[in-house]
Amino acid sequence: MKVFNTLSRKKEEFVPLEPGKVRMYVCGPTVYNFIHIGNARPMIVFDTVRRYFEYKGYDVNYVSNFTDVDDKIINKAIEEGVDSSVISERYIAECKKDMEGMNVKPATTHPLATEEIHGMVAMIETLIEKGYAYKAADGTVYYRTRKFKDYGKLSHKNLEDLQAGHREIKVVGEKEDELDFVLWKPKKDGEPYWESPWCKGRPGWHIECSVMAKHYLGDEIDIHAGGEDLIFPHHENEIAQSEAANGREFSKYWMHNAFLNIDNRKMSKSLGNFFTVREISEKYDLQVLRFFMLSAHYRSPLNFSAELMEASKNGLVRILTAVERLDGLLSSAAEAEPGERENAVRSQMKALVEKYEAAMEDDFNTADAISAVFEMVKLANTSVDETSSRALVEYVKGTVEALCDVLGIITEKKEELLDADIEALIEERQQARKDRNFARADEIRDTLAAKGILLKDTREGVKWTRA
Ligand code: AMP
Ligand code: ZN
């Protein structure tokens, strides 16, 4: 299996540290709001990587954190006049709902930064003892960047370039050098804080991940992953911390997904051009979002647009309809010996499974893997029918289902109505009433009632609830 490694900028053969096992750490979101669809990209991509390893028989220990102490969380807590844990707990719960909707498996462990402070203090102490960190007079602890000889190896930057980038910036506080970064900082009024040997305060962001990876996966891990914006400085600093403290190579492979854009522009909160996963879920089943994300290779930028979502929806429906048809055939399929024709279909299916696997083994090319699934669907639609043996129908259906499962696509058709569908039906019912077409209006009410949607006519208009 080939994996593109940001460290070497090459596709490398994947060799696990321990045979049959994969230790994987994926940087998770900062929980101060609903996650947006950009945050969903690494979740979906690396969940698919995990699923493929599991399909190949690996035992995957998958760790993904929630960053639950951060300026953005603190600001939101101040805004709402609540404790910052109220904010982080709320958005962790919401994030988990979104993950479930996107069929992202829960991690083996989802550590919280605030529950790992002890480990962070211990790692910072080790770094100070080894001369890689120092305490400034105000209690801030900095990492001595220049002391770490390999600094820049992941982002392929050299210290001179970094230095040039800093020329305009004055040395703040008591840093020995402008390249030094924060490991521990003193508390400000109203902020959450913890005791430490240096001052009452809280950890820097980078130390969190070094410590959570060490705690749950050990000093050396197979894969460390996240969005490409994390390469520098976050992952570069994680390497500096972990390798200096543990004296071992931190992660063998570093994987980074490219960004999700909107209308060909960078999606960002400051530009206001972003959608939350929750907003998308009002219009689409989140399976469609997942399918859309996997329609491109994870290292290619991907543009989000209504047209592409519609195309993904149609593609997904094509697969689900084919599986439904195969399921229907099963009820009447006969126990029969396979003839020559069936053997030919089987060998075509086997060739397509190989094509799918070859795509996934080539640095998880999900776009090509999906093409192989479409070819299977076409084969099933044209070559499997009422005359096929039960064994063949089962084999074709089972194969398509298993390969979709690796992509996290649930092949069973859902009957559930989306909010947008419900609202469209309610609007149609209002129009039918205006047109005095009461038969249609009643029909819509009954259709909705059958799906557990209750309508209530109020003075402000029609309100609906799920039963
Ligand atoms: P954050 O909450 O900003 O730390 O981001 C959580 C994860 O989402 C990180 O792995 C980011 O790299 C990733 N991410 C944020 N925005 C995007 C985007 N527009 N496209 C792809 N990944 C993103
Ligand atoms: Zn991280």
Side-chain angles (χ1 to χ4, degrees), residues 25-28 65 67 205-206 208-210 212 224-225 230 234-235 238:
Y25 186 92
V26 181
C27 292
N65 68 297
T67 294
W205 172 36
H206 316 300
E208 296 177 9
C209 288
S210 281
M212 291 186 266
H224 195 122
L230 300 186
H234 186 52
H235 288 166
E238 280 191 45

Side-chain angles (χ1 to χ4, degrees), residues 255-311:
M255 294 179 71
H256 295 99
N257 64 275
F259 256 49
L260 180 74
N261 299 322
I262 287 198
D263 296 327
N264 292 313
R265 288 170 73 210
K266 188 183 152 123
M267 188 180 75
S268 82
K269 290 213 166 145
S270 54
L271 291 172
N273 61 342
F274 70 92
F275 291 110
T276 61
V277 170
R278 200 56 62 85
E279 283 168 323
I280 298 302
S281 76
E282 287 162 11
K283 284 209 187 113
Y284 293 97
D285 185 322
L286 289 177
Q287 289 274 299
V288 177
L289 182 68
R290 181 164 186 131
F291 198 63
F292 158 78
M293 294 279 186
L294 298 178
S295 66
H297 187 262
Y298 75 92
R299 282 187 293 112
S300 304
L302 176 58
N303 191 49
F304 182 86
S305 70
E307 295 76 41
L308 287 176
M309 280 295 279
E310 282 304 314

Side-chain angles (χ1 to χ4, degrees), residues 167-337:
R167 206 167 290 157
E168 301 303 319
I169 305 168
K170 272 200 283 176
V171 175
V172 265
E174 314 208 9
K175 271 194 201 184
E176 288 175 359
D177 188 289
E178 51 238 18
L179 295 182
D180 296 352
F181 61 89
V182 171
L183 297 173
W184 186 267
K185 56 186 155 197
K187 81 179 180 86
K188 293 198 203 112
D189 275 351
E191 288 185 355
Y193 67 89
W194 290 265
E195 299 289 339
S196 82
W198 317 290
C199 62
K200 290 186 167 66
R202 61 185 165 105
W205 172 36
H206 316 300
I207 196 77
E208 296 177 9
C209 288
S210 281
V211 168
M212 291 186 266
K214 180 182 170 82
H215 184 172
Y216 296 97
L217 297 171
D219 289 353
E220 290 174 291
I221 70 175
D222 292 292
I223 298 175
H224 195 122
E228 66 182 5
D229 58 320
L230 300 186
I231 297 173
F232 187 85
H234 186 52
H235 288 166
E236 196 69 63
N237 291 353
E238 280 191 45
I239 291 177
Q241 295 162 162
S242 296
E243 298 194 357
N246 304 331
R248 306 257 187 88
E249 183 180 33
F250 180 28
S251 178
K252 266 181 100 175
Y253 305 90
W254 288 82
M255 294 179 71
H256 295 99
N257 64 275
F259 256 49
L260 180 74
N261 299 322
I262 287 198
D263 296 327
N264 292 313
R265 288 170 73 210
K266 188 183 152 123
M267 188 180 75
S268 82
K269 290 213 166 145
S270 54
L271 291 172
N273 61 342
F274 70 92
F275 291 110
T276 61
V277 170
R278 200 56 62 85
E279 283 168 323
I280 298 302
S281 76
E282 287 162 11
K283 284 209 187 113
Y284 293 97
D285 185 322
L286 289 177
Q287 289 274 299
V288 177
L289 182 68
R290 181 164 186 131
F291 198 63
F292 158 78
M293 294 279 186
L294 298 178
S295 66
H297 187 262
Y298 75 92
R299 282 187 293 112
S300 304
L302 176 58
N303 191 49
F304 182 86
S305 70
E307 295 76 41
L308 287 176
M309 280 295 279
E310 282 304 314
S312 297
K313 183 176 168 180
N314 295 338
L316 187 60
V317 167
R318 196 156 18 122
I319 297 172
L320 304 195
T321 309
V323 173
E324 197 181 32
R325 179 177 159 274
L326 292 170
D327 196 50
L329 289 175
L330 270 185
S331 56
S332 57
E335 307 288 345
E337 285 299 312

